[in-house]
Amino acid sequence: MAVLLFRVDDRLIHGQVVVGWGRHLKADAIVVCSERVAGDDLARTMMEMGAPADVKVEVLDPAETAARFHRNEYADRAAIVLFETPAEALRLLELAVEIKTLNVGGMHFRPGKRQIMEGVSVDRADCEALNALAARGVKIFVQLVPEARPVDLIRKLPGDL
Amino acid sequence: MIGILLVAHGDLAEELINSVAMIMGRVPLLRAVGLHPDQGLDDLQNAIETAGAELEQGGADQLLILVDMFGGSCSNVAARLVIERDPGRVALITGVNLPMVLEAAIDRDLYSLPDLARKVVEAGKKSVVDVRAVLAEKLR
């Protein structure tokens, strides 16, 4: 699979991803790599409905995502891979899928998280996963839409969570 | 490049531009004109003409006007301006919504103005969905 973009975005398939990134990168497939969504019929159907008809949507848990990567199933596809959390990106990496760069779009505020940038809030688990990804050489940038300037996320992580 | 002019009652046009920015960042040659309670139709006509001229000065060689409601003041005033001009240079579409503005902004470099106008109409029609009915069908 040719992956144009790995992105953490807790809204998964939505306007910024479909229109902002999908059209910009000319993606023809979106993989939602999420254990939660893969196991939820309604959430999965909503994801499939959110993309244009000419974009193939796959909703898979990390193990299945990795299996398809290793079988090279979509070699001729131009795909965007979405994660709800950095932890699921780390899981995919640990399943031997190469991720060189990770785009971070939306990690929205919830109680227990701390906002560190516009649209990006983290808790301890997020910081651990992001640091683990960075330690394995993944470059992590916050960039909501293609026109925005990418910002190195690791520098912004608080050390006291 | 095709300039895009949004014309609507109240602040809708301006806010559509802000909503577009949320999804795809700031877009060049995209302007808004609002019709407010204290304005007459002459004011509206002037505002549309001024915005159109500013888009031209900014480099737009064609103009796609998207207005809120067919038969409303914005549509009626814009129609008078459009009918006097070359159909290859100015197009006017009503019923503007966010997917239509996104379609116009994304595809304006790929199509001629009449073709873009058709794509925008199509995007608007496709965007109106009874979600419960579609979900019921898909989850059956």
Coordinates of all heavy atoms in Angstrom, one line a residue, chain A residues 23-54:
Chain A
R23 N -8.4 15.4 -1.1 CA -8.4 16.0 -2.4 C -7.0 16.6 -2.7 O -6.6 16.5 -3.8 CB -9.5 17.1 -2.5 CG -10.9 16.6 -2.2 CD -11.6 15.9 -3.3 NE -11.8 16.7 -4.4 CZ -13.0 17.1 -4.8 NH1 -14.1 16.8 -4.1 NH2 -13.2 17.9 -5.9
H24 N -6.4 17.2 -1.7 CA -5.1 17.7 -1.9 C -4.1 16.7 -2.3 O -3.3 16.9 -3.2 CB -4.6 18.4 -0.6 CG -3.3 19.0 -0.6 ND1 -3.0 20.2 -1.3 CD2 -2.1 18.6 -0.1 CE1 -1.7 20.4 -1.1 NE2 -1.1 19.5 -0.4
L25 N -4.1 15.5 -1.7 CA -3.1 14.4 -2.0 C -3.6 13.5 -3.0 O -2.9 12.6 -3.4 CB -2.9 13.6 -0.7 CG -2.2 14.4 0.5 CD1 -2.2 13.5 1.7 CD2 -0.8 14.8 0.1
K26 N -4.9 13.7 -3.5 CA -5.5 12.8 -4.5 C -5.5 11.4 -4.0 O -5.2 10.4 -4.7 CB -4.8 12.9 -5.8 CG -4.7 14.3 -6.4 CD -4.3 14.3 -7.9 CE -4.3 15.7 -8.5 NZ -4.4 16.9 -7.7
A27 N -5.9 11.2 -2.7 CA -6.1 9.9 -2.2 C -7.3 9.2 -2.8 O -8.3 9.8 -3.0 CB -6.2 10.0 -0.6
D28 N -7.1 7.8 -3.0 CA -8.3 7.1 -3.5 C -8.7 6.0 -2.4 O -9.5 5.2 -2.7 CB -8.0 6.5 -4.8 CG -6.9 5.5 -4.8 OD1 -6.4 5.2 -3.8 OD2 -6.6 5.0 -5.9
A29 N -8.1 6.0 -1.3 CA -8.5 5.1 -0.2 C -8.2 5.7 1.2 O -7.2 6.5 1.3 CB -7.7 3.8 -0.3
I30 N -9.1 5.5 2.1 CA -8.9 5.9 3.5 C -9.0 4.6 4.4 O -10.0 3.9 4.3 CB -9.9 6.9 3.9 CG1 -9.7 8.2 3.1 CG2 -9.7 7.3 5.4 CD1 -10.8 9.3 3.4
V31 N -8.0 4.4 5.1 CA -8.0 3.3 6.1 C -8.2 3.8 7.5 O -7.4 4.6 7.9 CB -6.7 2.4 6.0 CG1 -6.8 1.3 7.1 CG2 -6.5 1.8 4.7
V32 N -9.3 3.5 8.1 CA -9.5 3.8 9.5 C -9.0 2.7 10.4 O -9.6 1.6 10.4 CB -11.0 4.1 9.8 CG1 -11.3 4.4 11.3 CG2 -11.5 5.3 9.0
C33 N -7.9 2.9 11.0 CA -7.2 1.9 11.8 C -7.7 2.1 13.3 O -7.0 2.8 14.0 CB -5.7 2.0 11.6 SG -4.8 0.8 12.6
S34 N -8.8 1.4 13.6 CA -9.3 1.7 15.0 C -10.1 0.4 15.4 O -11.0 0.0 14.8 CB -10.3 2.9 14.9 OG -11.1 2.9 16.1
E35 N -9.6 -0.1 16.5 CA -10.3 -1.2 17.2 C -11.7 -0.9 17.5 O -12.6 -1.7 17.2 CB -9.5 -1.6 18.5 CG -10.0 -2.8 19.1 CD -8.9 -3.9 19.2 OE1 -7.7 -3.5 19.5 OE2 -9.2 -5.0 18.9
R36 N -11.9 0.3 18.0 CA -13.3 0.7 18.5 C -14.2 0.8 17.3 O -15.3 0.2 17.3 CB -13.2 2.1 19.2 CG -14.6 2.6 19.7 CD -14.5 4.0 20.2 NE -14.3 5.0 19.1 CZ -15.3 5.4 18.3 NH1 -16.5 5.0 18.5 NH2 -15.0 6.3 17.4
V37 N -13.8 1.5 16.2 CA -14.8 1.7 15.1 C -15.0 0.4 14.4 O -16.1 0.1 13.9 CB -14.2 2.8 14.2 CG1 -15.2 3.0 13.0 CG2 -14.1 4.1 14.9
A38 N -13.9 -0.4 14.2 CA -14.1 -1.7 13.5 C -15.1 -2.6 14.2 O -15.8 -3.4 13.5 CB -12.7 -2.4 13.5
G39 N -15.3 -2.4 15.5 CA -16.3 -3.3 16.2 C -17.6 -2.6 16.4 O -18.4 -3.1 17.2
D40 N -17.9 -1.5 15.7 CA -19.1 -0.8 16.0 C -19.8 -0.5 14.6 O -19.3 0.3 13.8 CB -18.8 0.6 16.7 CG -20.0 1.4 16.9 OD1 -21.0 1.3 16.3 OD2 -19.9 2.3 17.8
D41 N -20.9 -1.3 14.3 CA -21.5 -1.2 13.0 C -21.9 0.2 12.6 O -21.7 0.6 11.5 CB -22.8 -2.1 13.0 CG -22.4 -3.5 12.7 OD1 -21.3 -3.8 12.4 OD2 -23.3 -4.4 12.8
L42 N -22.5 0.9 13.6 CA -23.0 2.3 13.3 C -21.9 3.2 13.0 O -21.8 3.9 12.0 CB -23.9 2.8 14.4 CG -24.4 4.3 14.2 CD1 -25.3 4.3 13.0 CD2 -25.1 4.8 15.4
A43 N -20.8 3.2 13.8 CA -19.7 4.1 13.6 C -19.0 3.7 12.3 O -18.6 4.6 11.6 CB -18.7 3.9 14.8
R44 N -18.9 2.4 12.0 CA -18.3 2.0 10.7 C -19.0 2.5 9.5 O -18.5 3.0 8.6 CB -18.1 0.5 10.7 CG -17.0 0.0 9.8 CD -16.9 -1.5 9.7 NE -18.1 -2.0 9.2 CZ -18.9 -2.9 9.8 NH1 -18.6 -3.3 11.0 NH2 -20.0 -3.3 9.3
T45 N -20.4 2.4 9.6 CA -21.2 2.8 8.5 C -21.1 4.3 8.3 O -21.0 4.8 7.2 CB -22.7 2.4 8.7 OG1 -22.7 1.0 9.0 CG2 -23.5 2.8 7.5
M46 N -21.1 5.1 9.4 CA -20.9 6.5 9.3 C -19.6 6.9 8.6 O -19.6 7.8 7.8 CB -21.0 7.2 10.7 CG -22.2 6.8 11.5 SD -23.6 7.9 11.1 CE -23.1 9.4 11.9
M47 N -18.6 6.2 9.0 CA -17.3 6.4 8.4 C -17.3 6.2 6.8 O -16.8 7.0 6.0 CB -16.2 5.5 8.9 CG -15.8 5.8 10.3 SD -14.9 7.4 10.4 CE -15.9 8.2 11.6
E48 N -18.0 5.1 6.5 CA -18.1 4.7 5.0 C -18.9 5.8 4.3 O -18.6 6.1 3.1 CB -18.7 3.3 4.9 CG -17.7 2.2 5.3 CD -18.4 0.9 5.6 OE1 -19.6 0.8 5.4 OE2 -17.7 0.0 5.9
M49 N -19.9 6.3 5.0 CA -20.8 7.4 4.3 C -20.1 8.7 4.2 O -20.4 9.5 3.4 CB -22.0 7.6 5.1 CG -23.0 6.4 5.0 SD -24.4 6.6 6.2 CE -24.9 8.2 5.9
G50 N -19.1 8.9 5.1 CA -18.4 10.2 5.1 C -17.5 10.5 4.0 O -17.0 11.7 3.8
A51 N -17.1 9.5 3.2 CA -16.2 9.7 2.1 C -16.9 9.7 0.8 O -17.9 9.1 0.6 CB -15.1 8.6 2.2
P52 N -16.3 10.4 -0.2 CA -16.9 10.4 -1.5 C -16.9 9.0 -2.1 O -16.1 8.1 -1.7 CB -16.0 11.3 -2.3 CG -15.0 11.9 -1.4 CD -15.0 11.2 -0.1
A53 N -17.8 8.8 -3.1 CA -18.0 7.5 -3.7 C -16.7 6.9 -4.3 O -16.5 5.7 -4.4 CB -19.1 7.5 -4.7
D54 N -15.8 7.8 -4.8 CA -14.6 7.3 -5.5 C -13.5 7.1 -4.6 O -12.4 6.8 -5.0 CB -14.2 8.3 -6.6 CG -14.1 9.7 -6.1 OD1 -14.4 10.0 -4.9 OD2 -13.6 10.6 -6.9

